[in-house]
Amino acid sequence: MNGVELFLLGRTLMKIGEEALPPPPAGTAARGGSDRTVLVVASDIADHPDTTVSEIVARTALPQSQVSSAVARLREAGSIETVTDPGDRRRALVRQAAQASERVAQVRAAGIDEALVAALGPDDTHRLPEVSQALEVLSRNFRRGR
């Protein structure tokens, strides 16, 4: 495998992951922001608690408008909370919510088998256990402290 193949595999895995996610509740899609962007922002917030939208933009290289939309979706879903920065009351800090919301629990519980079967194709479903095990190994080896 070379870098290009790894990159393309990563894109394929992201698409499978997006297919496995439960759809957002009615009304939240109108707020904008792709699931991918929301997940990138949520991951950044988990890795950098008490951060600002500007800091998320700098770390993720996402446009400010996309980060703001993702933060709004995450706040609506109860995944994050914003608080006033005690050191600079003009700034808002973003952090994970103290309690996982129902939406967070739903997303975390979403299985991937249906999305994997769709990606493998109807003739290759016998490979599902092998592919699932390989993904478990990758996840275990690259998980970032969660």
Side-chain angles (χ1 to χ4, degrees):
M1 176 173 277
N2 62 37
V4 172
E5 292 169 327
L6 180 61
F7 178 83
L8 294 174
L9 173 62
R11 283 186 46 86
T12 299
L13 292 175
M14 286 184 359
K15 289 176 183 178
I16 294 168
E18 287 173 338
E19 287 297 317
L21 293 174
T28 57
R31 170 139 340 249
S34 71
D35 289 339
R36 185 177 302 169
T37 300
V38 171
L39 288 172
V40 168
V41 170
S43 176
D44 186 79
I45 293 168
D47 291 344
H48 303 93
D50 291 330
T51 191
T52 66
V53 168
S54 297
E55 292 166 343
I56 298 167
V57 167
R59 284 189 298 268
T60 63
L62 292 168
Q64 188 273 332
S65 60
Q66 289 183 12
V67 172
S68 293
S69 291
V71 165
R73 274 184 63 183
L74 290 164
R75 189 174 44 239
E76 275 183 16
S79 302
I80 63 164
E81 59 189 21
T82 55
V83 295
T84 302
D85 183 347
D88 181 351
R89 301 198 63 73
R90 297 170 295 174
R91 292 180 356 146
L93 300 178
V94 184
R95 64 174 70 138
Q96 286 183 305
Q99 295 280 341
S101 69
E102 183 179 320
R103 174 67 180 161
V104 169
Q106 181 186 34
V107 169
R108 288 179 179 163
I112 62 169
D113 286 354
E114 285 184 35
L116 284 176
V117 167
L120 289 170
D123 296 334
D124 289 330
T125 58
H126 64 280
R127 294 188 307 151
L128 181 62
E130 176 186 21
V131 172
S132 294
Q133 183 178 12
L135 291 172
E136 285 290 334
V137 170
L138 286 172
S139 178
R140 186 174 56 250
N141 282 281
F142 290 105
R143 192 170 290 134
R144 295 183 317 227
R146 288 194 187 103

